[in-house]
Every structure is written in structure tokens, then in C-alpha cells.
Amino acid sequence: MGEVVGAGLLAHVPTMLMPYEERLALNEGKEISLVPGIEQLRRDVFETLDYDTVVVLDSHWFTTVEFVVTAQDRRAGLFTAEELPRGMCRIPYDWPGDPELAHAMAAHGEKHGTWVTAIDDQYLPMYYATLNLWHFLGRGLPDKRWVSVSVCQTGDTLDFLAAGRALGDAIAAVDRKVLLVASGALSHTFWPLRELRAHEASDPSHIFSREAYEADQERLRWFADGDHARVLDTMPEFLEHRPEGKFAHYLMMVAALGEGAVTAPSRQYGEYENSVGTGQVHLWFDRPAGGWTAPRA
């Protein structure tokens, strides 16, 4: 029987892949803490924990009539981002997939009232919400499998929870030790283009609004306390601050772990930072000794 052995809510901002000197130039001469943060996360978790497969819940990959999960034996090639080709250009990638787990997720969708399709097309597009995290966390670890799950853009909170339940059932049914990675931001409103370049530094004073900043801070406190129930109960309020991808990446992750019963507290890697108006952070959730839904201390 498979299990989730760790989970994370991780930022994937393009600046992480910029050369060091360019990162300093954008950030008033200082390193953005997301880079040393994710490098430390790799050392602490991805290079040490016993796991087979990483499942990325990709907040940049939008599908329309169903959730899609990658089912290729292997994905390899060069990636240039359609969104920012100047900074993410011809980045090599190469990792094994996990078709068995992908098809298991698809098979469990209907009983949860949702639609999941496993696709093994080698020409399926890549998105940097997956690739940027693999670049830091998977590159050089050739035996680790990586799978991506889309966000169905016509879905809402209930649909994302249903997809997460299907994923949780699939992991339980397949003999895998899995890391879940919710790849995306908290609040996610960009500054308008004419103002944007005045807000590229990582200091949270550049978050798009005070209200969005405070909503993010509330959730950071709840995550640190392991109070996932409160995060779920207040989703209507948080949606007013436009979390990335309707917060589907987190919702699928937490549903796969046990939804509001999940009690795992977060460990933060790096600081909470701005990226042209959006709230970015790396949070990691270790599996509690008593399981994901063990009573909170």
C-alpha cells in the first residue's frame, strides 16, 4: 500500500532561474531568499528522504473539461517558456514518469464525482511550474519519478478537493512512496505593466495590496500551526485575493492527505516574498509520526 511521505507548497517564480547577478540587480543588490531556501529544502528532504515519485500539482497547466495527469514513461527535451522566453530559454529536462500511478489516479476520478485522464503523448506541453521545481529538486536524482497534474480551469474548490481525493486513493492503491508538491503562490495579483518594474524587488512591501498581504500572513500562521481546517473553511474569503490557480494546487494536495483533518505544521524555507505583486513562499509539511490526520500537539 502506497503512502505520502512528505508534501510542500512551493514557489516556482521565474526569477529563481535567473543568473545570480540578474537576481541581485532585480532585488536591490540582495539575493532572493527563495533560491537558498529551495536549495536547503533539497538537502533536507529530496536528497535524504525515502521516496519513489514526486507528484507536482501544477498551477500553470490549465485544462478545461477534465483534470489531466502525465503518464509518459519518460519526459525529456528542452524548455522555453512562452510566458518569459527571455529568462527561461532552452532549459534541459529529463526524468522518468510513473504511468502506473497516473492511470490509477484516472481510474479513481469517477467515484469522487470528477474527471481525470492520463495522457502519455510525448508532445504534451511542459509548464515551468513543474520544470523550475525539478531543476532545483530533481536534477541529478535520476531514479526519482516525476508526474504532473493539471488544474481544470472550469473547476472550483469542490472539484479540486475531489481530484485530490482521487489522487490520494491512487497513491494508496499503488506501491509507491510519494512526495506531493503544490506548485504555486498564495495571493496572485500582478502590478499593471506600466507600474510593474517598480515592484520587482522581493520585499513584501511590494505585494499588490495590504489586504492580500494580510490574508497571506493569516494563512502562513495557520499552516505553521497545522490548522488546515481553518484554511479550508475560509477559502471563500481567500478567493477574494485571487490565489494562484484558485489555490487548486494546495486544495488537491491537502485533499490527498485528508482535507480538514490534516494537522501537519509547516516548515518555512526562506522568507515570504513578493514577485511583481504576488505572495511567494516555500512551505514543507513533514508526515507526523501518527499520520497526516494525527491530533495536533
Side-chain angles (χ1 to χ4, degrees):
M1 185 172 179
E3 61 178 335
V4 179
V5 297
L9 172 58
L10 306 181
H12 57 240
V13 292
T15 46
M16 291 164 56
L17 263 67
M18 287 183 172
Y20 176 70
E21 294 77 12
E22 292 183 25
R23 296 200 302 267
L24 297 187
L26 281 179
N27 195 36
E28 301 170 337
K30 299 173 290 186
E31 174 64 291
I32 64 171
S33 73
L34 294 174
V35 172
I38 201 168
E39 291 172 342
Q40 186 63 50
L41 175 61
R42 176 183 172 120
R43 292 189 291 270
D44 289 354
V45 174
F46 284 75
E47 292 181 352
T48 61
L49 202 61
D50 180 20
Y51 65 98
D52 305 302
T53 300
V54 179
V55 177
V56 180
L57 307 161
D58 188 318
S59 63
H60 272 224
W61 180 16
F62 294 123
T63 50
T64 303
V65 300
E66 62 200 345
F67 295 90
V68 175
V69 54
T70 58
Q72 298 92 340
D73 287 317
R74 185 164 214 96
R75 302 198 79 183
L78 297 175
F79 173 79
T80 294
E82 83 289 357
E83 181 181 334
L84 192 63
R86 171 172 53 89
M88 289 179 287
C89 179
R90 294 191 300 276
I91 300 166
Y93 63 92
D94 186 357
W95 61 74
D98 195 336
E100 183 182 6
L101 179 59
H103 285 285
M105 181 182 178
H108 283 87
E110 186 174 353
K111 76 175 182 180
H112 291 291
T114 194
W115 297 269
V116 183
T117 303
I119 296 292
D120 63 2
D121 188 337
Q122 63 175 318
Y123 298 108
L124 192 68
M126 177 69 62
Y127 294 90
Y128 72 78
T130 292
L131 183 132
N132 287 8
L133 295 185
W134 174 85
H135 180 85
F136 284 98
L137 301 173
R139 193 168 43 124
L141 301 173
D143 60 326
K144 303 304 184 184
R145 308 171 186 183
W146 282 63
V147 169
S148 297
V149 178
S150 75
V151 171
C152 185
Q153 65 181 338
T154 54
D156 60 16
T157 295
L158 296 180
D159 296 302
F160 305 140
L161 293 173
R165 294 181 201 123
L167 175 58
D169 283 354
I171 293 167
V174 177
D175 186 18
R176 296 286 189 278
K177 294 176 181 173
V178 173
L179 298 181
L180 295 181
V181 173
S183 179
L186 300 176
S187 64
H188 198 257
T189 302
F190 294 116
W191 288 95
L193 179 60
R194 292 189 300 278
E195 303 174 54
L196 185 147
R197 281 165 176 74
H199 297 285
E200 290 187 302
S202 63
D203 191 285
S205 62
H206 296 284
I207 297 294
F208 186 76
S209 71
R210 182 69 188 179
E211 293 77 14
Y213 169 82
E214 291 173 351
D216 285 351
Q217 292 301 310
E218 269 189 327
R219 279 142 193 85
L220 290 178
R221 291 192 294 271
W222 298 337
F223 286 137
D225 290 340
D227 193 354
H228 296 266
R230 194 163 187 185
V231 177
L232 292 176
D233 289 344
T234 59
M235 272 306 301
E237 293 88 341
F238 194 39
L239 288 172
E240 296 176 7
H241 305 289
R242 299 179 61 187
E244 186 163 20
K246 303 178 187 177
F247 221 33
H249 48 297
Y250 167 76
L251 293 168
M252 287 190 282
M253 180 191 80
V254 78
L257 300 177
E259 299 182 47
V262 175
T263 56
S266 63
R267 288 192 286 127
Q268 186 168 323
Y269 283 86
E271 303 299 322
Y272 166 82
E273 295 186 337
N274 164 72
S275 179
V276 294
T278 68
Q280 306 288 340
V281 71
H282 298 313
L283 301 178
W284 191 256
F285 304 95
D286 296 304
R287 184 183 184 276
W292 291 104
T293 60
R296 282 195 291 158

